[in-house]
mmCIF file of all heavy atoms in Angstrom:
data_model
loop_
_atom_site.group_PDB
_atom_site.id
_atom_site.type_symbol
_atom_site.label_atom_id
_atom_site.label_comp_id
_atom_site.label_asym_id
_atom_site.label_seq_id
_atom_site.Cartn_x
_atom_site.Cartn_y
_atom_site.Cartn_z
ATOM 1 N N MET C 1 6.839 -11.202 23.196
ATOM 2 C CA MET C 1 5.509 -10.671 23.020
ATOM 3 C C MET C 1 4.525 -11.858 23.196
ATOM 4 O O MET C 1 4.698 -12.884 22.574
ATOM 5 C CB MET C 1 5.397 -10.031 21.593
ATOM 6 C CG MET C 1 4.129 -9.429 21.261
ATOM 7 S SD MET C 1 3.975 -8.576 19.631
ATOM 8 C CE MET C 1 5.125 -9.269 18.607
ATOM 9 N N SER C 2 3.635 -11.612 24.104
ATOM 10 C CA SER C 2 2.704 -12.704 24.367
ATOM 11 C C SER C 2 1.632 -12.833 23.425
ATOM 12 O O SER C 2 1.349 -11.835 22.684
ATOM 13 C CB SER C 2 2.204 -12.559 25.858
ATOM 14 O OG SER C 2 1.365 -11.467 25.908
ATOM 15 N N VAL C 3 0.855 -13.933 23.428
ATOM 16 C CA VAL C 3 -0.234 -14.183 22.625
ATOM 17 C C VAL C 3 -1.336 -13.145 22.961
ATOM 18 O O VAL C 3 -2.090 -12.575 22.144
ATOM 19 C CB VAL C 3 -0.775 -15.629 22.666
ATOM 20 C CG1 VAL C 3 -2.002 -15.850 21.839
ATOM 21 C CG2 VAL C 3 0.263 -16.547 22.252
ATOM 22 N N TRP C 4 -1.435 -12.865 24.271
ATOM 23 C CA TRP C 4 -2.584 -11.923 24.601
ATOM 24 C C TRP C 4 -2.309 -10.532 24.201
ATOM 25 O O TRP C 4 -3.234 -9.813 23.796
ATOM 26 C CB TRP C 4 -2.724 -11.893 26.161
ATOM 27 C CG TRP C 4 -3.150 -13.255 26.681
ATOM 28 C CD1 TRP C 4 -2.445 -14.093 27.437
ATOM 29 C CD2 TRP C 4 -4.500 -13.852 26.467
ATOM 30 N NE1 TRP C 4 -3.257 -15.213 27.744
ATOM 31 C CE2 TRP C 4 -4.455 -15.110 27.177
ATOM 32 C CE3 TRP C 4 -5.593 -13.449 25.751
ATOM 33 C CZ2 TRP C 4 -5.565 -15.959 27.145
ATOM 34 C CZ3 TRP C 4 -6.777 -14.295 25.790
ATOM 35 C CH2 TRP C 4 -6.650 -15.543 26.373
ATOM 36 N N ARG C 5 -1.049 -10.130 24.043
ATOM 37 C CA ARG C 5 -0.751 -8.812 23.614
ATOM 38 C C ARG C 5 -0.991 -8.663 22.058
ATOM 39 O O ARG C 5 -1.488 -7.714 21.542
ATOM 40 C CB ARG C 5 0.793 -8.509 23.759
ATOM 41 C CG ARG C 5 1.149 -8.093 25.107
ATOM 42 C CD ARG C 5 0.670 -6.764 25.469
ATOM 43 N NE ARG C 5 1.107 -6.474 26.859
ATOM 44 C CZ ARG C 5 1.612 -5.333 27.149
ATOM 45 N NH1 ARG C 5 1.998 -4.500 26.237
ATOM 46 N NH2 ARG C 5 1.951 -5.197 28.412
ATOM 47 N N VAL C 6 -0.758 -9.756 21.326
ATOM 48 C CA VAL C 6 -1.047 -9.768 19.963
ATOM 49 C C VAL C 6 -2.575 -9.634 19.751
ATOM 50 O O VAL C 6 -3.112 -8.904 18.865
ATOM 51 C CB VAL C 6 -0.428 -11.070 19.209
ATOM 52 C CG1 VAL C 6 -0.915 -11.244 17.805
ATOM 53 C CG2 VAL C 6 1.002 -11.065 19.294
ATOM 54 N N ILE C 7 -3.339 -10.442 20.376
ATOM 55 C CA ILE C 7 -4.722 -10.419 20.289
ATOM 56 C C ILE C 7 -5.268 -9.057 20.628
ATOM 57 O O ILE C 7 -6.198 -8.469 19.992
ATOM 58 C CB ILE C 7 -5.436 -11.483 21.167
ATOM 59 C CG1 ILE C 7 -5.129 -12.948 20.733
ATOM 60 C CG2 ILE C 7 -6.919 -11.298 21.273
ATOM 61 C CD1 ILE C 7 -5.496 -14.071 21.511
ATOM 62 N N LEU C 8 -4.837 -8.422 21.823
ATOM 63 C CA LEU C 8 -5.132 -7.201 22.138
ATOM 64 C C LEU C 8 -4.786 -6.072 21.152
ATOM 65 O O LEU C 8 -5.509 -5.091 20.878
ATOM 66 C CB LEU C 8 -4.604 -6.881 23.481
ATOM 67 C CG LEU C 8 -5.151 -5.443 24.206
ATOM 68 C CD1 LEU C 8 -6.664 -5.605 24.447
ATOM 69 C CD2 LEU C 8 -4.388 -5.393 25.505
ATOM 70 N N SER C 9 -3.722 -6.229 20.421
ATOM 71 C CA SER C 9 -3.243 -5.304 19.449
ATOM 72 C C SER C 9 -4.069 -5.383 18.174
ATOM 73 O O SER C 9 -4.198 -4.367 17.545
ATOM 74 C CB SER C 9 -1.731 -5.391 19.133
ATOM 75 O OG SER C 9 -1.593 -6.534 18.406
ATOM 76 N N ILE C 10 -4.686 -6.551 17.971
ATOM 77 C CA ILE C 10 -5.628 -6.633 16.763
ATOM 78 C C ILE C 10 -7.007 -6.080 17.068
ATOM 79 O O ILE C 10 -7.478 -5.382 16.345
ATOM 80 C CB ILE C 10 -5.599 -8.108 16.448
ATOM 81 C CG1 ILE C 10 -4.428 -8.570 15.830
ATOM 82 C CG2 ILE C 10 -6.789 -8.361 15.293
ATOM 83 C CD1 ILE C 10 -4.250 -10.145 15.566
ATOM 84 N N LEU C 11 -7.411 -6.270 18.406
ATOM 85 C CA LEU C 11 -8.681 -5.675 18.641
ATOM 86 C C LEU C 11 -8.681 -4.264 19.075
ATOM 87 O O LEU C 11 -9.474 -3.470 18.552
ATOM 88 C CB LEU C 11 -9.315 -6.600 19.831
ATOM 89 C CG LEU C 11 -9.580 -8.031 19.626
ATOM 90 C CD1 LEU C 11 -9.947 -8.799 20.863
ATOM 91 C CD2 LEU C 11 -10.536 -8.301 18.527
ATOM 92 N N LEU C 12 -7.810 -3.885 19.968
ATOM 93 C CA LEU C 12 -7.697 -2.443 20.385
ATOM 94 C C LEU C 12 -6.325 -2.107 20.438
ATOM 95 O O LEU C 12 -5.614 -2.172 21.442
ATOM 96 C CB LEU C 12 -8.370 -2.299 21.810
ATOM 97 C CG LEU C 12 -9.776 -2.779 21.916
ATOM 98 C CD1 LEU C 12 -10.256 -2.725 23.287
ATOM 99 C CD2 LEU C 12 -10.613 -1.675 21.335
ATOM 100 N N PRO C 13 -5.722 -1.561 19.288
ATOM 101 C CA PRO C 13 -4.284 -1.359 19.237
ATOM 102 C C PRO C 13 -3.812 -0.301 20.319
ATOM 103 O O PRO C 13 -2.696 -0.499 20.908
ATOM 104 C CB PRO C 13 -4.122 -0.750 17.871
ATOM 105 C CG PRO C 13 -5.225 -1.265 17.052
ATOM 106 C CD PRO C 13 -6.350 -1.453 17.988
ATOM 107 N N PRO C 14 -4.427 0.881 20.638
ATOM 108 C CA PRO C 14 -3.885 1.762 21.589
ATOM 109 C C PRO C 14 -3.764 1.131 23.028
ATOM 110 O O PRO C 14 -2.939 1.537 23.800
ATOM 111 C CB PRO C 14 -4.900 2.857 21.572
ATOM 112 C CG PRO C 14 -5.453 2.914 20.247
ATOM 113 C CD PRO C 14 -5.616 1.495 19.991
ATOM 114 N N LEU C 15 -4.811 0.153 23.252
ATOM 115 C CA LEU C 15 -4.776 -0.411 24.684
ATOM 116 C C LEU C 15 -3.570 -1.426 24.749
ATOM 117 O O LEU C 15 -3.108 -1.510 25.935
ATOM 118 C CB LEU C 15 -6.075 -1.129 24.859
ATOM 119 C CG LEU C 15 -6.358 -1.637 26.249
ATOM 120 C CD1 LEU C 15 -6.272 -0.377 27.271
ATOM 121 C CD2 LEU C 15 -7.725 -2.350 26.335
ATOM 122 N N ALA C 16 -3.097 -1.882 23.702
ATOM 123 C CA ALA C 16 -2.069 -2.993 23.770
ATOM 124 C C ALA C 16 -0.690 -2.324 24.084
ATOM 125 O O ALA C 16 0.141 -2.831 24.663
ATOM 126 C CB ALA C 16 -1.896 -3.668 22.405
ATOM 127 N N VAL C 17 -0.538 -0.972 23.717
ATOM 128 C CA VAL C 17 0.784 -0.238 23.889
ATOM 129 C C VAL C 17 0.695 0.692 25.180
ATOM 130 O O VAL C 17 1.511 1.647 25.339
ATOM 131 C CB VAL C 17 1.334 0.409 22.758
ATOM 132 C CG1 VAL C 17 1.569 -0.444 21.648
ATOM 133 C CG2 VAL C 17 0.229 1.496 22.312
ATOM 134 N N LEU C 18 -0.301 0.342 26.036
ATOM 135 C CA LEU C 18 -0.521 1.270 27.245
ATOM 136 C C LEU C 18 0.679 1.514 28.048
ATOM 137 O O LEU C 18 0.934 2.601 28.562
ATOM 138 C CB LEU C 18 -1.746 0.765 27.957
ATOM 139 C CG LEU C 18 -2.338 1.661 28.983
ATOM 140 C CD1 LEU C 18 -2.924 2.860 28.313
ATOM 141 C CD2 LEU C 18 -3.401 0.887 29.733
ATOM 142 N N ASP C 19 1.495 0.401 28.337
ATOM 143 C CA ASP C 19 2.573 0.476 29.102
ATOM 144 C C ASP C 19 3.878 0.924 28.529
ATOM 145 O O ASP C 19 4.947 1.016 29.174
ATOM 146 C CB ASP C 19 2.798 -0.843 29.865
ATOM 147 C CG ASP C 19 3.270 -1.987 28.875
ATOM 148 O OD1 ASP C 19 2.944 -1.773 27.770
ATOM 149 O OD2 ASP C 19 3.838 -2.943 29.288
ATOM 150 N N LYS C 20 3.882 1.303 27.274
ATOM 151 C CA LYS C 20 5.068 1.605 26.465
ATOM 152 C C LYS C 20 5.356 3.210 26.592
ATOM 153 O O LYS C 20 6.312 3.643 25.887
ATOM 154 C CB LYS C 20 5.011 1.218 25.035
ATOM 155 C CG LYS C 20 4.820 -0.233 24.919
ATOM 156 C CD LYS C 20 6.086 -0.933 25.316
ATOM 157 C CE LYS C 20 6.021 -2.427 25.153
ATOM 158 N NZ LYS C 20 7.158 -3.122 25.568
ATOM 159 N N GLY C 21 4.432 4.078 27.002
ATOM 160 C CA GLY C 21 4.662 5.355 27.176
ATOM 161 C C GLY C 21 3.641 6.239 26.378
ATOM 162 O O GLY C 21 2.797 5.630 25.575
ATOM 163 N N CYS C 22 3.542 7.436 26.732
ATOM 164 C CA CYS C 22 2.558 8.337 26.175
ATOM 165 C C CYS C 22 2.682 8.587 24.689
ATOM 166 O O CYS C 22 1.857 8.628 23.950
ATOM 167 C CB CYS C 22 2.688 9.670 26.922
ATOM 168 S SG CYS C 22 1.438 10.865 26.349
ATOM 169 N N GLY C 23 3.985 8.659 24.223
ATOM 170 C CA GLY C 23 4.277 8.829 22.741
ATOM 171 C C GLY C 23 3.751 7.643 21.966
ATOM 172 O O GLY C 23 3.224 7.872 20.832
ATOM 173 N N SER C 24 3.965 6.521 22.423
ATOM 174 C CA SER C 24 3.533 5.327 21.716
ATOM 175 C C SER C 24 1.998 5.240 21.641
ATOM 176 O O SER C 24 1.505 4.841 20.585
ATOM 177 C CB SER C 24 4.013 4.059 22.397
ATOM 178 O OG SER C 24 5.463 4.063 22.430
ATOM 179 N N ILE C 25 1.437 5.545 22.801
ATOM 180 C CA ILE C 25 -0.086 5.537 22.769
ATOM 181 C C ILE C 25 -0.660 6.507 21.673
ATOM 182 O O ILE C 25 -1.502 6.272 21.026
ATOM 183 C CB ILE C 25 -0.659 5.832 24.184
ATOM 184 C CG1 ILE C 25 -0.196 4.787 25.060
ATOM 185 C CG2 ILE C 25 -2.153 6.104 24.102
ATOM 186 C CD1 ILE C 25 -0.524 5.056 26.563
ATOM 187 N N LEU C 26 0.030 7.794 21.740
ATOM 188 C CA LEU C 26 -0.501 8.807 20.837
ATOM 189 C C LEU C 26 -0.268 8.366 19.329
ATOM 190 O O LEU C 26 -1.219 8.593 18.449
ATOM 191 C CB LEU C 26 0.251 10.132 20.974
ATOM 192 C CG LEU C 26 -0.077 11.291 20.209
ATOM 193 C CD1 LEU C 26 -1.476 11.669 20.610
ATOM 194 C CD2 LEU C 26 0.852 12.450 20.663
ATOM 195 N N ILE C 27 0.911 7.883 18.996
ATOM 196 C CA ILE C 27 1.144 7.385 17.752
ATOM 197 C C ILE C 27 0.203 6.326 17.177
ATOM 198 O O ILE C 27 -0.353 6.345 16.136
ATOM 199 C CB ILE C 27 2.634 6.926 17.506
ATOM 200 C CG1 ILE C 27 3.623 8.037 17.624
ATOM 201 C CG2 ILE C 27 2.929 6.178 16.195
ATOM 202 C CD1 ILE C 27 5.072 7.705 17.854
ATOM 203 N N VAL C 28 -0.062 5.382 18.006
ATOM 204 C CA VAL C 28 -0.962 4.206 17.715
ATOM 205 C C VAL C 28 -2.392 4.719 17.638
ATOM 206 O O VAL C 28 -3.109 4.376 16.758
ATOM 207 C CB VAL C 28 -0.747 3.043 18.637
ATOM 208 C CG1 VAL C 28 -1.808 1.939 18.399
ATOM 209 C CG2 VAL C 28 0.589 2.451 18.689
ATOM 210 N N THR C 29 -2.726 5.692 18.498
ATOM 211 C CA THR C 29 -4.130 6.186 18.359
ATOM 212 C C THR C 29 -4.335 7.008 17.076
ATOM 213 O O THR C 29 -5.360 6.789 16.438
ATOM 214 C CB THR C 29 -4.341 7.125 19.602
ATOM 215 O OG1 THR C 29 -4.116 6.391 20.787
ATOM 216 C CG2 THR C 29 -5.772 7.722 19.588
ATOM 217 N N LEU C 30 -3.297 7.790 16.678
ATOM 218 C CA LEU C 30 -3.412 8.499 15.467
ATOM 219 C C LEU C 30 -3.457 7.534 14.283
ATOM 220 O O LEU C 30 -4.181 7.708 13.265
ATOM 221 C CB LEU C 30 -2.353 9.442 15.316
ATOM 222 C CG LEU C 30 -2.391 10.729 16.199
ATOM 223 C CD1 LEU C 30 -1.069 11.458 16.094
ATOM 224 C CD2 LEU C 30 -3.578 11.521 15.967
ATOM 225 N N LEU C 31 -2.624 6.485 14.232
ATOM 226 C CA LEU C 31 -2.620 5.615 13.267
ATOM 227 C C LEU C 31 -3.974 4.841 13.149
ATOM 228 O O LEU C 31 -4.504 4.517 12.018
ATOM 229 C CB LEU C 31 -1.566 4.553 13.378
ATOM 230 C CG LEU C 31 -0.041 5.037 13.040
ATOM 231 C CD1 LEU C 31 0.876 4.010 13.490
ATOM 232 C CD2 LEU C 31 -0.004 5.336 11.653
ATOM 233 N N THR C 32 -4.553 4.470 14.269
ATOM 234 C CA THR C 32 -5.763 3.766 14.302
ATOM 235 C C THR C 32 -6.924 4.643 13.886
ATOM 236 O O THR C 32 -7.834 4.206 13.153
ATOM 237 C CB THR C 32 -6.210 3.254 15.706
ATOM 238 O OG1 THR C 32 -5.074 2.406 16.195
ATOM 239 C CG2 THR C 32 -7.401 2.467 15.788
ATOM 240 N N CYS C 33 -6.887 5.950 14.094
ATOM 241 C CA CYS C 33 -7.870 6.919 13.595
ATOM 242 C C CYS C 33 -7.776 6.963 12.016
ATOM 243 O O CYS C 33 -8.812 7.217 11.381
ATOM 244 C CB CYS C 33 -7.675 8.214 14.241
ATOM 245 S SG CYS C 33 -8.271 8.368 15.836
ATOM 246 N N ALA C 34 -6.538 6.859 11.479
ATOM 247 C CA ALA C 34 -6.408 6.833 10.133
ATOM 248 C C ALA C 34 -6.748 5.690 9.498
ATOM 249 O O ALA C 34 -7.179 5.583 8.305
ATOM 250 C CB ALA C 34 -4.914 7.133 9.844
ATOM 251 N N GLY C 35 -6.766 4.558 10.198
ATOM 252 C CA GLY C 35 -7.305 3.229 9.642
ATOM 253 C C GLY C 35 -6.931 2.162 10.567
ATOM 254 O O GLY C 35 -5.898 2.227 11.328
ATOM 255 N N TRP C 36 -7.760 1.126 10.634
ATOM 256 C CA TRP C 36 -7.535 0.048 11.583
ATOM 257 C C TRP C 36 -6.179 -0.664 11.288
ATOM 258 O O TRP C 36 -5.486 -1.022 12.225
ATOM 259 C CB TRP C 36 -8.692 -0.924 11.537
ATOM 260 C CG TRP C 36 -8.575 -2.044 12.430
ATOM 261 C CD1 TRP C 36 -8.610 -2.110 13.799
ATOM 262 C CD2 TRP C 36 -8.348 -3.463 12.043
ATOM 263 N NE1 TRP C 36 -8.439 -3.355 14.263
ATOM 264 C CE2 TRP C 36 -8.285 -4.162 13.128
ATOM 265 C CE3 TRP C 36 -8.119 -4.033 10.807
ATOM 266 C CZ2 TRP C 36 -7.960 -5.526 13.139
ATOM 267 C CZ3 TRP C 36 -7.811 -5.412 10.806
ATOM 268 C CH2 TRP C 36 -7.846 -6.126 11.937
ATOM 269 N N VAL C 37 -5.881 -0.938 10.007
ATOM 270 C CA VAL C 37 -4.767 -1.702 9.721
ATOM 271 C C VAL C 37 -3.446 -0.954 10.127
ATOM 272 O O VAL C 37 -2.578 -1.639 10.608
ATOM 273 C CB VAL C 37 -4.766 -2.141 8.144
ATOM 274 C CG1 VAL C 37 -3.505 -2.782 7.765
ATOM 275 C CG2 VAL C 37 -6.009 -3.044 7.897
ATOM 276 N N PRO C 38 -3.268 0.314 9.810
ATOM 277 C CA PRO C 38 -1.995 0.959 10.253
ATOM 278 C C PRO C 38 -1.939 0.938 11.709
ATOM 279 O O PRO C 38 -0.864 0.916 12.252
ATOM 280 C CB PRO C 38 -2.264 2.474 9.778
ATOM 281 C CG PRO C 38 -3.142 2.360 8.632
ATOM 282 C CD PRO C 38 -4.132 1.145 8.990
ATOM 283 N N GLY C 39 -3.016 1.079 12.495
ATOM 284 C CA GLY C 39 -2.946 1.012 13.945
ATOM 285 C C GLY C 39 -2.507 -0.373 14.429
ATOM 286 O O GLY C 39 -1.604 -0.349 15.354
ATOM 287 N N VAL C 40 -2.932 -1.488 13.897
ATOM 288 C CA VAL C 40 -2.508 -2.719 14.255
ATOM 289 C C VAL C 40 -1.085 -2.984 13.941
ATOM 290 O O VAL C 40 -0.260 -3.451 14.710
ATOM 291 C CB VAL C 40 -3.456 -3.757 13.585
ATOM 292 C CG1 VAL C 40 -2.861 -5.158 13.748
ATOM 293 C CG2 VAL C 40 -4.851 -3.683 14.103
ATOM 294 N N ILE C 41 -0.664 -2.518 12.760
ATOM 295 C CA ILE C 41 0.825 -2.676 12.358
ATOM 296 C C ILE C 41 1.631 -1.850 13.236
ATOM 297 O O ILE C 41 2.728 -2.227 13.734
ATOM 298 C CB ILE C 41 0.908 -2.232 10.902
ATOM 299 C CG1 ILE C 41 0.325 -3.298 9.972
ATOM 300 C CG2 ILE C 41 2.420 -2.171 10.611
ATOM 301 C CD1 ILE C 41 0.312 -2.933 8.498
ATOM 302 N N GLY C 42 1.199 -0.535 13.611
ATOM 303 C CA GLY C 42 1.973 0.253 14.445
ATOM 304 C C GLY C 42 2.176 -0.498 15.877
ATOM 305 O O GLY C 42 3.258 -0.409 16.501
ATOM 306 N N ALA C 43 0.912 -0.949 16.408
ATOM 307 C CA ALA C 43 1.066 -1.572 17.700
ATOM 308 C C ALA C 43 1.963 -2.764 17.781
ATOM 309 O O ALA C 43 2.727 -3.043 18.683
ATOM 310 C CB ALA C 43 -0.279 -1.941 18.214
ATOM 311 N N LEU C 44 1.948 -3.616 16.665
ATOM 312 C CA LEU C 44 2.701 -4.784 16.633
ATOM 313 C C LEU C 44 4.197 -4.463 16.542
ATOM 314 O O LEU C 44 5.134 -5.091 17.036
ATOM 315 C CB LEU C 44 2.382 -5.634 15.420
ATOM 316 C CG LEU C 44 1.042 -6.388 15.661
ATOM 317 C CD1 LEU C 44 0.619 -7.002 14.328
ATOM 318 C CD2 LEU C 44 1.100 -7.422 16.767
ATOM 319 N N VAL C 45 4.620 -3.364 15.717
ATOM 320 C CA VAL C 45 5.926 -2.982 15.666
ATOM 321 C C VAL C 45 6.437 -2.329 17.007
ATOM 322 O O VAL C 45 7.660 -2.734 17.368
ATOM 323 C CB VAL C 45 6.075 -1.757 14.577
ATOM 324 C CG1 VAL C 45 7.372 -1.229 14.646
ATOM 325 C CG2 VAL C 45 5.845 -2.435 13.166
ATOM 326 N N ILE C 46 5.643 -1.648 17.754
ATOM 327 C CA ILE C 46 6.071 -1.063 18.971
ATOM 328 C C ILE C 46 6.258 -2.189 20.095
ATOM 329 O O ILE C 46 7.040 -2.163 20.764
ATOM 330 C CB ILE C 46 5.099 0.053 19.474
ATOM 331 C CG1 ILE C 46 5.308 1.303 18.596
ATOM 332 C CG2 ILE C 46 5.380 0.379 20.879
ATOM 333 C CD1 ILE C 46 4.236 2.357 18.802
ATOM 334 N N LEU C 47 5.281 -3.204 19.984
ATOM 335 C CA LEU C 47 5.429 -4.309 20.911
ATOM 336 C C LEU C 47 6.601 -5.228 20.600
ATOM 337 O O LEU C 47 7.043 -5.883 21.529
ATOM 338 C CB LEU C 47 4.216 -5.149 20.958
ATOM 339 C CG LEU C 47 2.898 -4.407 21.554
ATOM 340 C CD1 LEU C 47 1.718 -5.365 21.360
ATOM 341 C CD2 LEU C 47 3.127 -4.136 23.006
ATOM 342 N N ASN C 48 7.002 -5.278 19.420
ATOM 343 C CA ASN C 48 8.117 -6.110 18.947
ATOM 344 C C ASN C 48 9.488 -5.498 19.305
ATOM 345 O O ASN C 48 10.481 -6.238 19.444
ATOM 346 C CB ASN C 48 8.149 -6.372 17.493
ATOM 347 C CG ASN C 48 8.917 -7.596 17.093
ATOM 348 O OD1 ASN C 48 9.072 -8.442 17.940
ATOM 349 N ND2 ASN C 48 9.302 -7.637 15.918
ATOM 350 N N LYS C 49 9.521 -4.179 19.602
ATOM 351 C CA LYS C 49 10.842 -3.548 19.954
ATOM 352 C C LYS C 49 11.289 -4.023 21.416
ATOM 353 O O LYS C 49 10.410 -4.158 22.167
ATOM 354 C CB LYS C 49 10.760 -2.051 19.847
ATOM 355 C CG LYS C 49 10.565 -1.555 18.524
ATOM 356 C CD LYS C 49 10.154 -0.110 18.495
ATOM 357 C CE LYS C 49 11.447 0.809 18.915
ATOM 358 N NZ LYS C 49 11.218 2.208 18.763
ATOM 359 N N LYS C 50 12.490 -4.137 21.527
ATOM 360 C CA LYS C 50 13.016 -4.602 22.889
ATOM 361 C C LYS C 50 12.946 -3.435 23.899
ATOM 362 O O LYS C 50 13.320 -2.426 23.752
ATOM 363 C CB LYS C 50 14.455 -5.159 22.802
ATOM 364 C CG LYS C 50 14.367 -6.416 22.009
ATOM 365 C CD LYS C 50 14.122 -7.553 22.942
ATOM 366 C CE LYS C 50 14.191 -8.779 22.027
ATOM 367 N NZ LYS C 50 13.700 -9.913 22.724
#
């Protein structure tokens, strides 16, 4: 996980997981709508998976 991905996941979580698939984008978007912190945590978890 690069530094730019971490910064992007903090600023715009759905944009950070754009290349991970439609399901990941949907999950992170819903989490971000529920609150900023859950969206960031969800994006970081998805980006940390191999």
Side-chain angles (χ1 to χ4, degrees):
M1 183 169 28
S2 69
V3 175
W4 294 112
R5 286 283 180 131
V6 173
I7 293 170
L8 190 59
S9 68
I10 292 171
L11 297 176
L12 298 168
L15 191 59
V17 296
L18 195 61
D19 65 339
K20 298 295 182 181
C22 183
S24 298
I25 296 170
L26 183 63
I27 290 170
V28 172
T29 302
L30 291 174
L31 286 172
T32 304
C33 288
W36 177 72
V37 174
V40 170
I41 291 172
L44 289 173
V45 166
I46 290 173
L47 288 176
N48 199 24
K49 291 172 71 175
K50 294 276 180 190

